[in-house]
Amino acid sequence: MTDGPLIVQSDKTILLEVAHPDSTDARHAIAAFAELERAPEHMHSYRITPLGLWNARAAGLDAEHVVDTLLNYSRYPVPHALLLDIAEIMARYGRLRLEKDPQHGLVLRSDDELILAEVCHAKKVSALLGARIDPLTVVVHGTARGELKQLLLKAGWPAEDLAGYVDGTSHPIALSENTGASPWTLRPYQRVAVENFWAGGSGVVVLPCGAGKTIVGAAAMAASGTTTLILVTNTLSARQWKAELLKRTTLTESEIGEYSGAVKELRPVTIATYQVLTTRRNGSFTHLELLNDNDWGLLIYDEVHLLPAPIFRMTADLQARRRLGLTATLVREDGREGEVFALIGPKRYDAPWKEIEAQGYIAPADCVEVRVDLARAERLAYATADDGEKYRLCATTLAKSVVAQALVAAHGGEQILVIGQYLDQLDELAARLNAPLIKGTTPVKERERLFEEFRQGRVPTLVVSKVANFSIDLPEASVAIQVSGAFGSRQEEAQRLGRLMRPKADGRTARFYTLVARDTVDADFAAKRQRFLAEQGYAYRIMDAHDVPRAMEGLQE
Amino acid sequence: MGTLADVAAELAHRSDAQLLRLFTLRPDAINPPVANFAALATRLCGPSSILAALDALNFSQLHALTALHSPAATGTEAAHVPATLAELHEMALLTAEIPASPATQTPADDGGTQQFCTLASVGLALGEGPPLGDHLTPPAAPPSAKLAEVRTALRDNAAASAVETLLRVTAELVESIGHAPLAALRDRGAGVRTVRKLAVWLKINEAQLCFYLELAATAHLISYDRASAQWRAATPDWLLLERPAQWLALAKAWQDSTRLPFSDAPNSPAPDSPAAKPLAVTSTLPHLAALRHRVLRVLAAPELAAPSRNSEPPNTTYAPTLDSVVAQLAWRHPRQSAAMSALVPGIMAELELLGLTGAGALSITGRCAAANDWPAALAALDSTLPEPIDHFVIQGDLSVVAPGFLAPAIAAELKLLAATEGRGAAGIFRISEGSLQGAMAAGQSKESILGFLRRHCRTELPQSLEYLIGAAAAKHPAGMTRQDSPASTPRRGPDRTTALAWEAPRPTDDVVHLQMQAQLAQLRRSPVWGSAVQDEAGPALVMEQLRLSIASGSTVWLSAVNGSGDVERVLLVPLSLVGGLLRARLNGTGRERHFSIHRITAVEDPPQEGTELP
């Protein structure tokens, strides 16, 4: 037994003691097969999952290596049953292989007749298969590659995909590092993320908001040197991508197309919105052709945690193309993380937010929960309301507006976002703060104008609805006040904090206030929402509303 | 064939060393202690003792003994290996002829020239046992074993982690049964649903849980309460022991356990394995304790544990396959081979759960246990089980992590204000507004909680935690506490004296040895024959003498209690012994008379000519 930094629990989690001198080595060693689950201040926890282990096999590690890593770094004995499980699970990978047969095209091959018989027996699987060539080989329908992989994974026999990728149309792209007016270089973690992705073929890169995911995308495009389709959440985001690509790569205006509700341009690099792809006309997806139109060499899914279900299905047909998923929070409220894994690919890179913060690449953030009391009348209304109305009632209490006003006043001179869910509340706040409001009905042009004003510092305070949850780059925003949200959504909370995380010119700490009505469902949802960030090491302070003025005085000093 | 009288006389003739060896080989014969050699002979010839002794025989011993008892005994000289016969004699399954000159010679001095007699009771028992079948010619050597190489580090890791899990889960189990006793079925067994629920809660599989439950009962950590028909926690003191001592208590209890094994070994339960019900009175087989000893010993045998190979890789131990273990045991104890193939898989699984084997190879503690060297086992364990820790860290997400085995007293106090999360070598807990309010309701105060956390938390308390403690306290003003919660008074920590006192009553090997010496002294003090009437050997001797005189048609003096309670002495010739009645012809009158055998107190040979009647 060593005095290692790891403690391997019998419930298949691994604890990593951050302060241990060997913790960095140990983290790199286990990252190959264990999923980072939580990264609070002192003890990070990883989970050993079949997906992670198969991933490790795909990367060329064997069970003995995994077992040795655990034994070497573990402080206490490792549960033997877990070691046996690891060997057993890893042995399942690659017993089935997807291969290109010169005569029959895509085939599923096994070294064990029984395994092949077992999986072929399943109805869903057999529907994707063609004729049996010999006892160990069966033909696979060309378009079924993704779905088959997904089903085999579910059945516990993950197929090793040796059928390879199509090259796509070649289109040279290079990064414009160290050139131009503001020279820049790829950050070390971005470089590792791209290398991991490229070595693995396809997969997901998880980086905190503001840590430069777009640049990772750009670097992946440079590595690929092919035509690329980028799927993003909305038009604004598409334009931000375009601006960023122009800045970071050798690509020119004419090489980058936007494919959105407004414009339909098909260029070597095309940025399309999820929305336009999922638009139906007469019951069919009219723009889906886009995916197949061009011989794309690379597909990039921005905010992959939001990937809508139809795109999931389409992606299943795109298994022959390299896919890169980008996200800050691989937490799906719909629990479809497994599908992201199967269809886009495994997680190729993930770093604790606090680690990136420590390197100075994202702004440090101070999260504060301010508890307000409902007025007597509000309390009565709340107590007698239907369950469906309760959250709205407590989340929109007038007390929050009062506190928000005090906070905005206290942070004079800073760029402030006030974020909420309910339009009545946002209207009231906008009027109270004398600030512009951006909501779903605000035209794209107007949104762009207001965000630009905000970036330039001409508008110090913006009131925004959930339209600003994602992908809006507002580098100098340093204060966010969240008055209400989509119930207990962990990823919304994280994304909203993310709006503040671009490092500030003066190195200022970002402040994220979330206003919560005491002793109501609002408080319960808040606790749930904060879980993801708390597990990333963002410790919320809690403050009573009546303490806000005093705390603000302290802030000013 | 030797009679009881012959056996008693021959036993009396044995040396002290031989007798002590006999006591070791057949411990049931002196438990409880016997009064004299006649009583000892009776015990040794009792059917249950003989069966137990036969079960312990290896192939060649059994083969020799069977040959001696077979009708064609004359033709089986090949089986009469002197060494084997001497072993059988050592176990008192054969008697030796006492040399004519009664002076100084003991049978052992005669060496190869020794003549042995068979015993009638052994012959009867052999007839009842399973036939030796095709293996009438014993294999010359034990079957060769199939061994898998296991890295020593892997073995040690597996064994140590098994011990950690065993102690942690057993403690949780006992604590849980302490809070909520386990409902029992009519046969005292735990119901299927109870078992399932507990297994889910403890995050272990059901077979594993059944083993821990059985072990807890065997070690008297839980006991059956007849009145409520529940299993309750019996010895919370065990919880206060240091962990090596806890393990020792469990391992020793296991070794002497006659409970059926529960197994999740892949090849078991064997189709004919007895259906075991956890905690049920019926899940017991008397010879299981002996079998557990034997499995452990056979694993320690050189052919399984340390085969000598030309190029033995360093840091390697060996794990025998299940079949190899069964084959070895079958060679050593052929009469039990059928039972063993059903039970050994379960016992092997138990060994793994106890850390006596690790990854199938005998562990260091296992080797000590096989040699009955418990102090050494304890020392080995001491170095692998880390000391309890007294600190934890609290993080911003309000999770509390103790990076190791948190001292039970501290863990108990922490559990009052935090929910347990996750299981393993480290303790993980989570504090929430709800858990804090629970603690307040159970009588804790803001000061007591903050005090406790600050004492043991290695890091600064998160601001939100302090806020939440204050908020919870504000909702539970002083004086509003519930006093009925038993959880509000955590047990104090263990102290060494309790730990030692708890161990004390178990007989140690020294004690066993002293008991044997005392027994020997008692035998040497007493005449070979005690007073036949009071003596344990009495009824057996009476029956034997009656059978002998029926066979030979000889006349005996019979003493029997008549209807008015007086003892009458009659000279008669016994004719038959059927249905608890002796039929005899009275000497002189020639009249037949029946005696109930329970009224017969003594049978004596008629006096030789020229002597007085007693």
Side-chain angles (χ1 to χ4, degrees):
Chain A
M1 197 165 40
T2 61
D3 183 32
L6 300 183
I7 302 176
V8 185
Q9 298 281 86
S10 44
D11 58 9
K12 296 189 178 171
T13 55
I14 306 177
L15 298 178
L16 170 76
E17 188 177 355
V18 181
H20 194 281
D22 295 337
S23 74
T24 311
D25 291 347
R27 187 175 58 226
H28 288 312
I30 61 173
F33 56 86
E35 299 266 331
L36 175 63
E37 209 169 45
R38 300 180 202 160
E41 308 93 299
H42 312 296
M43 286 282 184
H44 292 184
S45 74
Y46 288 76
R47 182 170 291 280
I48 298 175
T49 60
L51 291 185
L53 293 172
W54 290 330
N55 213 356
R57 269 300 306 273
L61 299 186
D62 59 6
E64 197 175 338
H65 176 95
V66 172
V67 167
D68 280 346
T69 302
L70 292 179
L71 291 178
N72 283 345
Y73 285 106
S74 181
R75 184 173 312 171
Y76 303 120
V78 181
H80 191 62
L82 176 60
L83 298 182
L84 295 179
D85 265 1
I86 288 174
E88 199 265 335
I89 290 169
M90 290 182 83
R92 287 172 155 256
Y93 178 86
R95 301 300 301 276
L96 295 172
R97 296 178 304 277
L98 276 168
E99 292 174 9
K100 269 252 159 59
D101 186 282
Q103 198 184 339
H104 302 278
L106 192 63
V107 296
L108 183 65
R109 196 162 270 157
S110 176
D111 51 11
D112 187 333
E113 205 176 329
L114 292 178
I115 298 175
L116 196 63
E118 182 196 323
V119 297
C120 291
H121 183 69
K123 240 185 213 147
K124 280 186 179 169
V125 174
S126 64
L128 306 177
L129 301 176
R132 186 70 80 95
I133 301 170
D134 60 57
L136 296 175
T137 317
V138 60
V139 171
V140 178
H141 298 320
T143 53
R145 184 162 158 191
E147 200 180 346
L148 180 64
K149 274 163 72 178
Q150 200 181 347
L151 288 172
L152 293 178
L153 190 80
K154 262 190 196 153
W157 294 108
E160 190 174 3
D161 192 341
L162 300 173
Y165 294 102
V166 296
D167 293 335
T169 308
S170 166
H171 189 91
I173 302 171
L175 291 180
S176 59
E177 281 180 286
N178 298 318
T179 56
S182 50
W184 63 281
T185 51
L186 215 52
R187 296 168 185 166
Y189 64 85
Q190 290 169 332
R191 195 176 300 281
V192 175
V194 174
E195 283 167 6
N196 287 3
F197 159 73
W198 194 252
S202 285
V204 177
V205 168
V206 184
L207 282 176
C209 306
K213 284 190 289 293
T214 315
I215 297 178
V216 171
M221 289 161 67
S224 172
T226 58
T227 53
T228 303
L229 177 65
I230 303 168
L231 300 177
V232 300
T233 50
N234 56 46
T235 312
L236 267 189
S237 172
R239 295 188 186 157
Q240 266 172 217
W241 263 90
K242 185 171 175 180
E244 193 72 7
L245 289 178
L246 289 172
K247 205 158 103 191
R248 307 292 183 184
T249 66
T250 53
L251 289 170
T252 57
E253 281 270 4
S254 62
E255 295 173 88
I256 307 176
E258 174 184 324
Y259 200 96
S260 65
V263 212
K264 310 267 187 302
E265 301 164 336
L266 198 59
R267 306 263 172 85
V269 172
T270 300
I271 307 172
T273 59
Y274 288 144
Q275 203 188 355
V276 75
L277 279 183
T278 51
T279 304
R280 286 176 197 240
R281 194 154 296 159
N282 303 326
S284 64
F285 298 103
T286 45
H287 298 289
L288 267 189
E289 290 308 304
L290 175 66
L291 291 167
N292 304 318
D293 267 359
N294 230 340
D295 185 19
W296 307 113
L298 175 67
L299 281 97
I300 298 179
Y301 299 81
D302 190 25
E303 311 289 4
V304 72
H305 57 277
L306 292 176
L307 199 59
I311 308 243
F312 262 126
R313 284 193 291 273
M314 293 182 284
T315 306
D317 300 335
L318 292 171
Q319 290 296 312
R321 304 183 193 281
R322 282 183 182 268
R323 303 165 305 281
L324 168 65
L326 297 172
T327 181
T329 51
L330 199 48
V331 176
R332 285 191 67 112
E333 308 296 339
D334 61 5
R336 300 179 89 149
E337 293 94 337
E339 289 184 30
V340 173
F341 176 94
L343 295 175
I344 310 290
K347 187 154 58 170
R348 297 294 176 192
Y349 188 81
D350 191 359
W353 291 27
K354 283 287 175 186
E355 191 186 303
I356 308 260
E357 180 193 301
Q359 294 168 18
Y361 293 122
I362 57 175
D366 178 25
C367 301
V368 184
E369 175 184 328
V370 181
R371 295 201 170 182
V372 304
D373 291 297
L374 298 187
R376 209 186 138 71
E378 285 175 328
R379 184 149 275 287
L380 187 67
Y382 174 79
T384 54
D386 290 343
D387 282 354
E389 273 297 291
K390 271 192 152 75
Y391 176 65
R392 183 194 178 88
L393 270 174
C394 58
T396 58
T397 170
L398 201 61
K400 288 190 177 180
S401 298
V402 176
V403 173
Q405 193 172 16
L407 288 170
V408 168
H411 285 283
E414 293 187 65
Q415 298 291 102
I416 304 172
L417 289 172
V418 179
I419 313 175
Q421 170 91 351
Y422 295 103
L423 296 179
D424 297 353
Q425 185 183 30
L426 296 175
D427 285 335
E428 193 270 334
L429 273 164
R432 180 187 286 266
L433 301 171
N434 194 21
L437 167 64
I438 297 178
K439 51 188 177 185
T441 52
T442 313
V444 172
K445 262 223 163 70
E446 176 68 359
R447 289 188 205 182
E448 270 186 302
R449 187 187 66 80
L450 285 171
F451 280 131
E452 191 51 35
E453 297 271 286
F454 183 80
R455 282 187 201 110
Q456 300 301 325
R458 290 192 289 272
V459 172
T461 305
L462 267 185
V463 179
V464 290
S465 74
K466 64 181 178 190
V467 298
N469 277 359
F470 303 105
S471 317
I472 305 300
D473 197 15
L474 303 168
E476 282 306 306
S478 62
V479 178
I481 302 168
Q482 171 177 251
V483 291
S484 52
F487 310 102
S489 168
R490 291 165 293 169
Q491 52 111 332
E492 183 183 73
E493 185 95 353
Q495 294 288 347
R496 285 178 171 176
L497 171 65
R499 295 311 104 221
L500 308 178
M501 290 178 108
R502 292 263 177 225
K504 310 303 164 222
D506 57 0
R508 200 176 331 133
T509 296
R511 311 246 169 215
F512 181 67
Y513 295 96
T514 176
L515 311 189
V516 175
R518 194 193 311 278
D519 295 335
T520 64
V521 291
D522 194 17
D524 300 339
F525 285 135
K528 183 160 187 263
R529 292 170 65 87
Q530 292 168 10
R531 191 84 177 249
F532 174 81
L533 285 177
E535 285 168 358
Q536 286 292 344
Y538 290 89
Y540 281 68
R541 291 187 291 131
I542 309 180
M543 189 188 289
D544 288 326
H546 57 77
D547 286 332
V548 167
R550 202 154 24 114
M552 291 304 116
E553 278 166 32
L555 202 67
Q556 249 106 51
E557 284 157 19
Chain B
M1 292 224 172
T3 63
L4 271 182
D6 297 338
V7 176
E10 195 257 328
L11 286 172
H13 201 73
R14 291 187 182 206
S15 71
D16 285 1
Q18 283 178 317
L19 285 171
L20 288 174
R21 174 87 182 130
L22 174 63
F23 296 160
T24 315
L25 292 172
R26 298 185 60 183
D28 55 335
I30 58 159
N31 186 18
V34 289
N36 51 44
F37 282 108
L40 179 63
T42 310
R43 279 274 179 87
L44 289 170
C45 294
S48 62
S49 179
I50 295 265
L51 280 176
L54 290 180
D55 283 350
L57 295 186
N58 69 26
F59 218 110
S60 38
Q61 291 167 336
L62 194 62
H63 186 259
L65 199 60
T66 312
L68 283 172
H69 282 82
S70 72
T74 47
T76 55
E77 279 80 11
H80 296 183
V81 183
T84 308
L85 296 184
E87 284 162 10
L88 292 168
H89 171 251
E90 203 173 33
M91 283 183 264
L93 291 171
L94 294 176
T95 61
E97 271 178 14
I98 305 168
S101 67
T104 51
Q105 248 188 351
T106 61
D109 298 332
D110 291 348
T113 63
Q114 183 77 43
Q115 287 299 310
F116 294 109
C117 304
T118 56
L119 293 168
S121 44
V122 172
L124 280 172
L126 273 177
E128 285 169 12
L132 280 177
D134 306 336
H135 306 291
L136 264 174
T137 316
S144 68
K146 278 202 199 99
L147 304 173
E149 286 183 5
V150 174
R151 280 186 294 153
T152 311
L154 208 59
R155 175 200 69 177
D156 293 347
N157 172 75
S161 115
V163 171
E164 189 277 330
T165 309
L166 169 74
L167 299 180
R168 176 168 48 81
V169 177
T170 306
E172 276 182 276
L173 192 59
V174 172
E175 263 175 43
S176 139
I177 293 176
H179 288 302
L182 212 62
L185 304 177
R186 247 202 327 222
D187 58 2
R188 297 192 185 180
V192 178
R193 257 186 292 174
T194 314
V195 168
R196 195 169 301 152
K197 231 165 67 182
L198 262 179
V200 167
W201 185 69
L202 292 166
K203 292 203 172 86
I204 53 177
N205 69 44
E206 289 173 31
Q208 208 177 342
L209 173 73
C210 289
F211 172 64
Y212 292 151
L213 269 179
E214 284 285 354
L215 194 58
T218 309
H220 306 295
L221 309 184
I222 59 173
S223 64
Y224 182 70
D225 179 56
R226 204 182 293 269
S228 60
Q230 285 175 329
W231 287 88
R232 292 168 174 273
T235 319
D237 283 358
W238 179 85
L239 292 172
L240 304 183
L241 292 177
E242 287 183 10
R243 286 196 295 169
Q246 285 185 334
W247 179 83
L248 188 66
L250 295 178
K252 283 187 161 182
W254 171 81
Q255 226 198 4
D256 297 333
S257 166
T258 55
R259 305 288 296 167
L260 285 173
F262 288 84
S263 154
D264 62 339
N267 318 342
S268 65
D272 52 348
S273 95
K277 272 174 83 178
L279 299 178
V281 273
T282 48
S283 301
T284 300
L285 282 180
H287 67 275
L288 267 170
L291 185 54
R292 286 189 164 100
H293 280 279
R294 279 173 203 151
V295 173
L296 199 50
R297 272 203 306 272
V298 86
L299 284 173
E303 49 271 55
L304 289 192
S308 54
R309 298 198 174 165
N310 294 337
S311 57
E312 207 160 302
N315 302 323
T316 300
T317 55
Y318 296 93
T321 62
L322 196 57
D323 292 342
S324 292
V325 176
V326 172
Q328 289 285 331
L329 281 165
W331 187 80
R332 282 171 166 75
H333 313 289
R335 278 174 56 94
Q336 285 189 303
S337 54
M340 275 183 308
S341 54
L343 293 168
V344 168
I347 293 177
M348 295 284 286
E350 290 184 340
L351 287 168
E352 194 76 16
L353 290 175
L354 283 160
L356 292 170
T357 59
L362 197 64
S363 69
I364 297 167
T365 44
R367 189 174 311 284
C368 301
N372 239 335
D373 188 354
W374 294 104
L378 208 55
L381 212 59
D382 242 338
S383 62
T384 53
L385 271 176
E387 290 284 309
I389 58 171
D390 63 355
H391 60 268
F392 41 74
V393 295
I394 304 182
Q395 320 195 79
D397 60 354
L398 301 190
S399 62
V400 183
V401 180
F405 173 69
L406 192 59
I410 301 171
E413 208 164 341
L414 184 56
K415 280 183 200 161
L416 298 182
L417 46 103
T420 308
E421 221 179 54
R423 304 195 179 261
I428 306 178
F429 308 85
R430 188 175 288 276
I431 301 179
S432 63
E433 293 200 66
S435 75
L436 286 172
Q437 275 167 22
M440 294 289 175
Q444 300 245 23
S445 68
K446 179 180 171 182
E447 289 70 29
S448 69
I449 293 177
L450 279 174
F452 166 75
L453 294 178
R454 289 206 177 106
R455 260 199 311 286
H456 299 290
C457 183
R458 277 277 173 89
T459 52
E460 206 178 316
L461 298 190
Q463 183 272 347
S464 58
L465 178 58
E466 295 193 37
Y467 179 95
L468 292 176
I469 293 171
K475 284 193 187 162
H476 287 276
M480 296 277 287
T481 59
R482 292 159 59 109
Q483 292 302 330
D484 56 342
S485 167
S488 60
T489 48
R491 298 183 67 88
R492 290 263 55 97
D495 79 63
R496 263 209 115 91
T497 36
T498 8
L500 292 172
W502 201 81
E503 247 293 293
R506 300 193 64 87
T508 63
D509 299 334
D510 288 348
V511 172
V512 171
H513 189 69
L514 286 176
Q515 282 167 351
M516 285 188 182
Q517 292 285 358
Q519 173 69 77
L520 188 61
Q522 158 75 21
L523 287 173
R524 292 287 187 224
R525 254 197 325 271
S526 317
V528 173
W529 300 97
S531 151
V533 183
Q534 304 152 13
D535 203 321
E536 183 180 347
L541 280 174
V542 165
M543 301 313 287
E544 190 183 70
Q545 265 177 300
L546 283 175
R547 283 203 188 90
L548 284 174
S549 52
I550 289 168
S552 62
S554 56
T555 309
V556 293
W557 277 107
L558 182 115
S559 305
V561 182
N562 64 21
S564 54
D566 300 323
V567 179
E568 56 172 329
R569 266 167 65 86
V570 201
L571 194 62
L572 46 68
V573 178
L575 297 174
S576 72
L577 200 54
V578 175
L581 285 177
L582 170 72
R583 192 166 60 85
R585 193 170 56 243
L586 298 182
N587 234 18
T589 65
R591 193 161 59 83
E592 277 197 15
R593 200 177 146 185
H594 292 80
F595 297 86
S596 296
I597 55 168
H598 64 271
R599 287 179 181 269
I600 303 171
T601 58
V603 179
E604 294 151 74
D605 290 333
Q608 304 291 317
E609 271 173 60
T611 53
E612 291 281 315
L613 280 176

